Amino acid sequence: MGEMINIIKEEIGNIFKNQQKERVDKLKHLNELSVKGQTLFTGSSLMEQFPIDELLMNRGINKIIYNRGVGGFTTTDLLGHMEEMIFGVEPSKIFINIGTNDIGLPEYALDKLIKNYEVILNKIKDKLPNTEVYVMAYYPINEVAKIPENDWERSAFITRNNENIKIANDAVKELAEKIGYKYIDVNEGLTDENGRLKVEYTVEGIHMYANAYNVILDNMMKYL
């Protein structure tokens, strides 16, 4: 039984990797058509799933924002695809949220996350010296919103918990200030009385519905 589960996990992992590759390949071609000097959202799935175009349209705001998030990506993955996910757009303003998948790894280590993040930010500073960069706080999670049905799903919350997220946010804030970028926490209104991501905002405790992103956008407007 255990061997079969491992085979299934491996097959799902391969499918997911192929989807990531397809996403990155598409971004490369999209960048060739992008209007330079605009705003960029980049990071992992929590950024990729940000429905920014529809939310802005709903508010009657005509603004170009390119989304180059890739689901499942860690800081290591982003380091390998900075051209597709950042530089190819040549943005004047960047909102970056990367690292939650690092926190969710079984071998998670904060120092490795910060080391990678520092390399990412320094590469941006070197190649895009005039670009404004906003380093976003990691979002809260809710490990009890919908009880996972199996050990595989439950494992997502072993290290990705609100305590580790708070510690990581403090470290990322310090890093941003060290590099000379602005750290922004746009999480106001997302949590319940226990500090967890509100049940009505989350798909499975980590990813979010559009109503949550609408709250986040409210908090981001002064930076956009």
Side-chain angles (χ1 to χ4, degrees), residues 23 25-34 36 66-68:
R23 166 73 173 163
D25 288 343
K26 289 176 181 178
L27 295 184
K28 179 173 61 177
H29 293 289
L30 281 172
N31 288 343
E32 296 172 358
L33 304 173
S34 65
K36 309 310 178 186
Y66 293 109
N67 190 322
R68 296 296 183 261

Side-chain angles (χ1 to χ4, degrees), residues 51-153:
I52 186 60
D53 289 338
E54 291 183 53
L55 292 179
L56 290 177
M57 190 184 307
N58 184 59
R59 296 169 185 234
I61 299 173
N62 184 19
K63 185 176 181 64
I64 296 175
I65 297 181
Y66 293 109
N67 190 322
R68 296 296 183 261
V70 180
F73 262 29
T74 63
T75 52
T76 299
D77 295 318
L78 177 54
L79 275 170
H81 297 284
M82 292 191 69
E83 183 62 34
E84 296 92 340
M85 297 177 67
I86 299 175
F87 299 137
V89 179
E90 298 179 26
S92 62
K93 187 179 293 187
I94 297 172
F95 291 85
I96 182 170
N97 190 332
I98 187 71
T100 54
N101 290 314
D102 298 60
I103 298 172
L105 292 172
E107 66 274 18
Y108 169 60
L110 178 63
D111 58 345
K112 181 180 179 181
L113 164 60
I114 297 303
K115 182 178 180 181
N116 279 354
Y117 216 150
E118 184 169 6
V119 175
I120 290 169
L121 296 180
N122 276 322
K123 283 180 177 291
I124 294 173
K125 200 168 192 69
D126 288 343
K127 192 155 185 176
L128 300 170
N130 298 317
T131 296
E132 296 177 47
V133 177
Y134 295 88
V135 179
M136 299 176 66
Y138 301 124
Y139 303 123
I141 60 98
N142 189 328
E143 74 283 7
V144 298
K146 297 178 181 176
I147 304 300
E149 295 180 357
N150 54 59
D151 292 340
W152 187 9
E153 292 175 335

Side-chain angles (χ1 to χ4, degrees), residues 110-217:
L110 178 63
D111 58 345
K112 181 180 179 181
L113 164 60
I114 297 303
K115 182 178 180 181
N116 279 354
Y117 216 150
E118 184 169 6
V119 175
I120 290 169
L121 296 180
N122 276 322
K123 283 180 177 291
I124 294 173
K125 200 168 192 69
D126 288 343
K127 192 155 185 176
L128 300 170
N130 298 317
T131 296
E132 296 177 47
V133 177
Y134 295 88
V135 179
M136 299 176 66
Y138 301 124
Y139 303 123
I141 60 98
N142 189 328
E143 74 283 7
V144 298
K146 297 178 181 176
I147 304 300
E149 295 180 357
N150 54 59
D151 292 340
W152 187 9
E153 292 175 335
R154 282 192 289 273
S155 68
F157 298 99
I158 293 176
T159 53
R160 187 173 356 205
N161 54 61
N162 284 326
E163 181 180 357
N164 280 342
I165 288 171
K166 183 184 183 306
I167 293 170
N169 277 338
D170 290 340
V172 168
K173 179 180 180 180
E174 183 178 337
L175 173 63
E177 292 171 350
K178 173 184 174 182
I179 302 295
Y181 289 147
K182 187 171 183 62
Y183 168 87
I184 59 171
D185 185 337
V186 292
N187 297 341
E188 183 179 357
L190 291 181
T191 55
D192 60 20
E193 63 276 9
N194 296 310
R196 297 187 178 102
L197 182 61
K198 291 179 180 178
V199 172
E200 63 266 30
Y201 287 159
T202 184
V203 178
E204 80 306 47
I206 296 172
H207 296 93
M208 298 179 289
Y209 295 118
N211 54 353
Y213 283 111
N214 201 42
V215 172
I216 294 167
L217 182 57

